[in-house]
Amino acid sequence: MPAKLELELSKEQVLELEELRDHAGKPYLRERTAAILKIAQGRSGREIALHGLLKPHWQDTIYEWVQRYRAEGKAGLEIKS
């Protein structure tokens, strides 16, 4: 069984992500930040992928968002051209 995905965020990171989740102009950014915040609260990637967002996703998609956030911060959540 794979290890549980964990993410620790500072108070500043939580505030930044909550602001983005609540006010980003692009819906996909609001969805991705919501997923990141739920991972930080201890929910599983599988649970979030299946039931935690407006529509289901592959759990690997959620894990990819977390990895990109870890590597690049909030810029990693944006779609690259």
Side-chain angles (χ1 to χ4, degrees):
M1 181 174 190
K4 183 177 178 183
L5 180 63
E6 294 181 359
L7 179 65
E8 286 191 37
L9 299 175
S10 68
K11 181 75 170 167
E12 293 79 22
Q13 288 173 310
V14 170
L15 292 174
E16 178 182 56
L17 288 170
E18 286 175 344
E19 176 69 22
L20 192 59
R21 178 198 63 199
D22 296 341
H23 301 289
K26 297 183 178 176
Y28 78 87
L29 281 175
R30 295 192 301 265
E31 180 178 49
R32 292 175 183 193
T33 54
I36 298 294
L37 288 165
K38 289 176 183 189
I39 290 288
Q41 293 171 348
R43 293 180 58 190
S44 75
R46 183 175 189 279
E47 175 189 355
I48 295 166
L50 295 176
H51 308 291
L53 301 171
L54 290 176
K55 65 177 192 167
H57 292 275
W58 291 104
Q59 67 188 36
D60 289 346
T61 301
I62 306 300
Y63 299 144
E64 181 182 323
W65 294 344
V66 171
Q67 290 172 352
R68 288 173 47 188
Y69 179 75
R70 282 182 175 152
E72 303 175 44
K74 69 178 186 177
L77 300 176
E78 296 181 8
I79 294 174
K80 309 285 192 258
S81 57

